[in-house]
Amino acid sequence: MSSMDSTSNCDESSESDLNPSQEDLAFPLSEANSLFSLSKRLDELLISYESLHKAWPLQEPVRLPAPVENKLSVKDRAEVLDQRAADNEVQGVRERFSKLLLGEDMSGSGKGVSSAVAISNAITNLYATVFGNCHKLEPLPVEKKILWQREMDCLLSVCDYIVELFPSSQSLPDGTKLEVMATRPRSDISINLPALEKLDAMLLDMLDDFEKTEFWYIDENKSLLQDNAVTPLVTTPHRSVDKWWLPVPSLPNTGLSEKAIKDLRQKRDCAYQIHKAALAINCAILAEMEIPESYIQALPKSGRACVGDSIYRYMSTLDRFSPEHLIDCLKISSEHEALALANCVEAAMYVWQRKARPARSKPSWSIVKELMDASDKNFVLATRAESVLLSLRNQFPSLPQSRVDTSKIQHNKDVGQAILESYSRVLESLAHNIVSLIDDVLFTDASVKQR
């Protein structure tokens, strides 16, 4: 009992020391005036708190490792920088493909465009990024060429998984044969895609051939005349006034040599043939696309309301119809006027085709018109409208897409058609730009030699 009492007394004393009462803290005035008594009381409190902290489990402080000295060599630093550049490229590819999957709707709410429209916009934007500033006959910068080839390989890789089924046979180990459905690349892709890739490579090689030329470019806004150069003081007449920002070619006083002129003409002919091939593929793909129902519903009830009385009278009354004569009579002087006429004639053509087509017929017009009566008025008007559109395309090669073509692209759901259409369209634009730039140089050379 005595030991227990002593233990309890020790505990009470320790608790009293650790938890001083209000009376202990309230020192008498006589002791408060004594600095010695105050310091003695504080020492006792500190000793009691130290004895309490010694009983607690203490952890050793965590020692941080010493910083390692950077001893990378020049080669190691280059490898680190290359790795960072590769990581940035991979991150860029991931970002672009995520936009494609999201249909350009970064909110992820499913309100984006279809996959076909997204990949078509991606090819168009890539072309604008790489060739948007291609206003000179010179090789494409290496970084842009690599960007174009790498990104197009990624975008065109989708076509490897667009297949069609066809009946085939399979032999089993016991000799029996089974009829199965096998896969192969879709016919339109297997035919047109290799041709477009070949045209793409030819255009890039053509630009690489302009590394060493007898002409060069200066800024038209700056009067930078060299001693051995002749620069035209005005814009060439055949160049559109809307393209005043294009650089002007500068030639020597004697002009270009015969060899250089022959080489330029050969490259122009080659670029023109590439332009025609890409245009033919683009027109064929657009013709296969379905016309959106929204465009059909917005058409007038008569083709005469689309083209007007004068054009309708000319197209319907004359026995010998000439689309070139009609265009000459209208005196079309710009691409804007040509595009407005193309939209009107094309709308009228679809109205006349619907009236000439048998009821509820779904085959394309190229198939239906072989079975139509040539004396049918709607059939004749639709055929003549089609010839007017073809003549407009020939006279204005860089004519923008018509309203129905734009509507087809925006409402298209076929990814394969979207890739072929956009790929052929950008190659057509690049080939036309090369032809125009070569024409500028040849025209300037002729002007120099006439002086």
Side-chain angles (χ1 to χ4, degrees), residues 1 14 57 87 106 137 191 204 229 292 337 372 383 398 400 441:
M1 295 292 295
S14 60
D87 294 342
M106 304 309 293
L137 293 174
I191 294 174
L204 293 180
E337 297 177 358
M372 293 298 300
T383 305
S398 60
V441 177

Side-chain angles (χ1 to χ4, degrees), residues 285-293 404 407-408 411-412 417:
I285 298 301
L286 286 174
E288 294 177 359
M289 290 184 181
E290 295 183 0
I291 303 176
E293 190 64 27
V404 65
S407 181
K408 286 181 178 181
H411 296 83
N412 178 41
Q417 289 181 349

Side-chain angles (χ1 to χ4, degrees), residues 162-227:
I162 301 177
V163 296
E164 60 184 4
L165 299 175
F166 70 99
S168 178
S169 60
Q170 182 179 3
S171 299
L172 297 179
D174 58 357
T176 58
K177 291 185 178 181
L178 296 177
E179 292 185 357
V180 296
M181 298 298 292
T183 60
R184 63 186 176 188
R186 210 168 71 180
S187 58
D188 58 341
I189 294 177
S190 61
I191 294 174
N192 294 317
L193 186 58
L196 291 175
E197 291 177 338
K198 182 64 176 179
L199 298 179
D200 187 359
M202 292 173 64
L203 289 175
L204 293 180
D205 292 340
M206 188 180 301
L207 289 176
D208 293 337
D209 291 339
F210 289 106
E211 184 176 3
K212 296 181 180 180
T213 59
E214 297 182 4
F215 58 90
W216 59 94
Y217 291 90
I218 64 171
D219 191 353
E220 188 178 11
N221 298 327
K222 298 179 182 179
S223 58
L224 299 177
L225 298 179
Q226 300 180 1
D227 297 335

Side-chain angles (χ1 to χ4, degrees), residues 2 6 8 25 96 108 119 125 137 142-143 153 172 212 215 230 239 264 282 288 327 349:
S2 59
S6 61
S8 60
L25 292 176
R96 285 186 289 273
I119 199 168
N125 295 334
L137 293 174
V142 179
E143 59 275 7
D153 287 341
L172 297 179
K212 296 181 180 180
F215 58 90
V230 176
R239 177 186 290 175
L264 282 176
N282 186 263
E288 294 177 359
I327 296 174
M349 180 187 69

Side-chain angles (χ1 to χ4, degrees), residues 143-401:
E143 59 275 7
K144 287 190 175 182
K145 186 176 181 179
I146 295 176
L147 174 64
W148 170 258
Q149 294 175 343
R150 184 181 67 244
E151 297 295 327
M152 285 304 300
D153 287 341
C154 295
L155 295 173
L156 296 180
S157 63
V158 181
C159 295
D160 297 337
Y161 303 94
I162 301 177
V163 296
E164 60 184 4
L165 299 175
F166 70 99
S168 178
S169 60
Q170 182 179 3
S171 299
L172 297 179
D174 58 357
T176 58
K177 291 185 178 181
L178 296 177
E179 292 185 357
V180 296
M181 298 298 292
T183 60
R184 63 186 176 188
R186 210 168 71 180
S187 58
D188 58 341
I189 294 177
S190 61
I191 294 174
N192 294 317
L193 186 58
L196 291 175
E197 291 177 338
K198 182 64 176 179
L199 298 179
D200 187 359
M202 292 173 64
L203 289 175
L204 293 180
D205 292 340
M206 188 180 301
L207 289 176
D208 293 337
D209 291 339
F210 289 106
E211 184 176 3
K212 296 181 180 180
T213 59
E214 297 182 4
F215 58 90
W216 59 94
Y217 291 90
I218 64 171
D219 191 353
E220 188 178 11
N221 298 327
K222 298 179 182 179
S223 58
L224 299 177
L225 298 179
Q226 300 180 1
D227 297 335
N228 59 342
V230 176
T231 305
L233 300 179
V234 294
T235 306
T236 53
H238 67 283
R239 177 186 290 175
S240 176
V241 180
D242 297 336
K243 299 180 180 180
W244 53 268
W245 65 87
L246 294 178
V248 180
S250 181
L251 279 68
N253 290 326
T254 57
L256 298 176
S257 63
E258 293 297 330
K259 181 180 179 181
I261 294 176
K262 182 179 179 181
D263 183 62
L264 282 176
R265 288 176 178 173
Q266 290 179 351
K267 291 178 179 177
R268 185 196 181 279
D269 294 339
C270 181
Y272 182 69
Q273 294 300 325
I274 294 176
H275 174 266
K276 291 178 61 177
L279 178 60
I281 295 176
N282 186 263
C283 292
I285 298 301
L286 286 174
E288 294 177 359
M289 290 184 181
E290 295 183 0
I291 303 176
E293 190 64 27
S294 58
Y295 178 83
I296 297 297
Q297 294 177 357
L299 290 176
K301 295 182 178 180
S302 65
R304 186 171 186 171
C306 298
V307 296
D309 294 336
S310 59
I311 297 179
Y312 176 78
R313 192 179 303 112
Y314 181 85
M315 295 179 65
S316 59
T317 57
L318 295 180
D319 295 336
R320 295 182 178 179
F321 174 75
S322 174
E324 292 79 11
H325 184 262
L326 174 61
I327 296 174
D328 293 338
C329 293
L330 295 176
K331 297 180 180 180
I332 299 176
S333 58
S334 64
E335 291 184 354
H336 299 287
E337 297 177 358
L339 181 60
L341 177 62
N343 289 328
C344 296
V345 174
E346 196 168 33
M349 180 187 69
Y350 285 114
V351 172
W352 290 324
Q353 286 182 2
R354 292 183 65 190
K355 291 183 177 181
R357 191 191 301 264
R360 298 181 180 180
S361 61
K362 294 184 178 180
S364 62
W365 175 251
S366 60
I367 299 176
V368 172
K369 68 180 181 180
E370 296 178 358
L371 307 175
M372 293 298 300
D373 185 7
S375 60
D376 184 76
K377 185 177 181 180
N378 291 320
F379 173 77
V380 173
L381 290 174
T383 305
R384 291 181 176 182
E386 190 175 2
S387 62
V388 173
L389 291 175
L390 181 60
S391 180
L392 278 174
R393 290 289 181 182
N394 293 333
Q395 293 190 20
F396 299 91
S398 60
L399 192 67
Q401 292 176 334

